[in-house]
């Protein structure tokens, strides 16, 4: 990416005349101008964007910021200028986004780079330092509907969708927020930050996570995390409905990383669920590929929290930081 460049003392003159359609010009001296593009110059009343520098020759984009391309005589002054367009572009570039391979070389302290996937990084003037932040797509509750809401609630706050569920004394009770599944093939990536995964349950099923649902039957497949008499574990479970567990398919211990990243995919034939560490980058499957008709054929996707006995009877609070459909 070619960032806007700035320098002091950029003042020269044209070494030869320039026609109105020329895309290069030569100055008598390039001293004081940035060594590479992009930067702005003013030649008479025309603003040009210099996109490349080769010695004293500038490659230019003509007629910038509402000015008009015109012919200019040899000897006319050429100024390196700070314009409204340069300032606006600088604002954009302080928070550049894209893929890591398109990131500019470090050298302008304070810039942030928000990659399409991975960790946000900051330019310290010499290198790009990774920050303990990932680029998030904030979910909102407006696209979801409740299944078994009861006294549960959802709030959109601080860029998060926060699900709060009551603690019930007995029996599983999933509080779900679901929406129509995208057209296959699709992948949904979710980032979750729980208040606490601790809870008591007789069936050792997940406390929070994501779900597939078959609207006609009410069946659910849940994938998520919980903790009972075991360390923190990941669980995949089949539900006849939001209160009736049909089967635990598997549970296994996982490191206590936060936030929790999970990705669910359906290619129209098979489905797959993957989880990642807190970087949200290195996803690994939690099961082998299975038919999309196993146990149910999902036409809804969503998130859930289980109300069954949270620690000390306090409500369970689950914050969903990221929801991305691709």
């Amino acid at each position: 990416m070619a960032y806007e460049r700035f320098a002091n003392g950029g003042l020269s003159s044209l070494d030869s005349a320039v026609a109105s359609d020329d895309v290069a010009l030569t100055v008598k001296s390039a001293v004081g101008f940035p060594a590479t593009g992009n930067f702005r110059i003013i030649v008479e009343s025309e603003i040009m964007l210099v996109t490349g520098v080769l010695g004293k020759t500038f490659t230019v984009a003509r007629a910038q910021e509402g000015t008009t391309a015109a012919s200019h005589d040899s000897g006319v002054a050429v100024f390196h200028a700070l314009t409204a367009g340069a300032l606006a572009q600088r604002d954009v570039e302080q928070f550049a986004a894209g893929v890591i391979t398109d990131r500019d070389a470090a050298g302008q302290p304070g810039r942030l780079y928000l990659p399409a996937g991975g960790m946000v990084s900051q330019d310290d003037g010499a290198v790009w330092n990774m920050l303990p932040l990932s680029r998030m797509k904030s979910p909102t509750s407006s696209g979801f509907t409740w299944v078994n809401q009861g006294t549960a609630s959802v709030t959109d706050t601080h860029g998060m969708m926060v699900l709060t569920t009551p603690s019930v004394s007995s029996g599983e009770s999933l509080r779900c927020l679901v929406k129509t599944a995208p057209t296959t093939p699709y992948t949904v990536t979710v980032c979750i930050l729980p208040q606490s995964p601790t809870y008591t349950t007789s069936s050792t099923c997940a406390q929070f996570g994501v779900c597939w649902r078959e609207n006609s039957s009410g069946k659910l497949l849940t994938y998520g995390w919980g903790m009972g008499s075991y360390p923190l574990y990941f669980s995949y479970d089949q539900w006849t409905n939001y209160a009736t567990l049909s089967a635990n398919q598997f549970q296994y211990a996982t490191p206590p990383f936060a936030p929790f990243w999970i990705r669910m995919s359906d290619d129209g034939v098979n489905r797959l669920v993957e989880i990642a560490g807190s970087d949200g980058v290195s996803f690994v499957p939690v099961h082998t590929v299975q038919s999309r008709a196993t146990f149910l054929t999902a036409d809804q996707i969503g998130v859930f929290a289980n109300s069954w006995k949270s620690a000390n009877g306090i409500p369970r609070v689950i914050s969903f930081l990221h929801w991305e459909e691709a």
Side-chain angles (χ1 to χ4, degrees):
M1 180 175 180
Y3 286 85
E4 195 80 17
R5 308 294 180 182
F6 303 92
N8 295 319
L11 172 60
S12 188
S13 59
L14 290 176
D15 197 39
S16 58
V18 176
S20 61
D21 59 352
D22 284 342
V23 293
L25 57 83
T26 302
V27 294
K28 292 183 178 179
S29 173
V31 174
F33 292 90
T36 61
N38 292 346
F39 60 92
R40 318 282 168 136
I41 58 174
I42 296 180
V43 183
E44 296 185 294
S45 60
E46 182 183 354
I47 298 175
M48 305 181 194
L49 175 65
V50 179
T51 58
V53 176
L54 182 61
K56 295 186 290 183
T57 300
F58 296 166
T59 302
V60 293
R62 304 293 298 270
Q64 299 294 297
E65 301 182 48
T67 61
T68 301
S71 299
H72 305 286
D73 294 332
S74 177
V76 168
V78 178
F79 301 88
H80 173 32
L82 180 62
T83 68
L87 288 172
Q89 186 62 26
R90 177 65 171 170
D91 287 343
V92 170
E93 291 167 354
Q94 281 293 98
F95 304 96
V99 296
I100 287 290
T101 52
D102 287 343
R103 189 178 65 187
D104 190 39
Q108 297 188 42
R111 294 181 300 169
L112 294 178
Y113 195 84
L114 288 69
M119 308 295 278
V120 174
S121 51
Q122 183 180 41
D123 186 351
D124 71 0
V127 297
W128 287 98
N129 296 314
M130 286 196 302
L131 302 178
L133 300 168
S134 295
R135 188 179 177 189
M136 304 285 188
K137 292 185 181 294
S138 299
T140 58
S141 60
S142 59
F144 293 86
T145 58
W146 281 102
V147 173
N148 188 37
Q149 178 180 7
T151 58
S153 63
V154 63
T155 305
D156 297 323
T157 179
H158 300 286
M160 301 178 292
M161 184 175 74
V162 182
L163 175 58
T164 303
T165 69
S167 174
V168 297
S169 59
S170 63
E172 311 296 346
S173 187
L174 302 184
R175 316 292 177 163
C176 308
L177 286 167
V178 299
K179 63 192 303 185
T180 301
T183 302
T184 57
Y186 65 81
T187 298
V188 179
T189 305
V190 185
C191 183
I192 309 169
L193 187 63
Q195 182 193 64
S196 170
T198 305
Y199 75 119
T200 351
T201 180
S202 58
S203 50
T204 321
C205 53
Q207 174 221 344
F208 64 90
V210 298
C211 62
W212 266 302
R213 184 172 184 266
E214 186 176 71
N215 188 39
S216 60
S217 67
K219 290 181 177 180
L220 289 142
L221 291 176
T222 61
Y223 302 81
W225 293 265
M227 186 165 66
S229 57
Y230 299 95
L232 184 69
Y233 59 81
F234 184 87
S235 182
Y236 158 43
D237 307 304
Q238 298 176 344
W239 299 78
T240 304
N241 55 54
Y242 58 78
T244 307
L245 183 65
S246 173
N248 288 123
Q249 291 304 300
F250 59 79
Q251 296 88 32
Y252 62 86
T254 62
F257 53 79
F260 296 82
W261 287 86
I262 187 166
R263 175 177 292 165
M264 51 201 304
S265 305
D266 185 339
D267 65 4
V269 178
N270 297 307
R271 59 184 178 230
L272 180 67
V273 173
E274 303 165 281
I275 60 174
S278 55
D279 63 2
V281 174
S282 305
F283 283 85
V284 294
V286 294
H287 63 79
T288 57
V289 173
Q290 62 183 206
S291 166
R292 71 186 306 264
T294 300
F295 187 68
L296 57 76
T297 301
D299 53 6
Q300 293 178 326
I301 54 174
V303 298
F304 76 93
N306 192 341
S307 284
W308 168 241
K309 278 191 179 178
S310 64
N312 302 315
I314 61 174
R316 181 161 295 113
V317 180
I318 312 296
S319 298
F320 295 92
L321 285 64
H322 176 84
W323 177 281
E324 183 178 8
E325 299 176 23

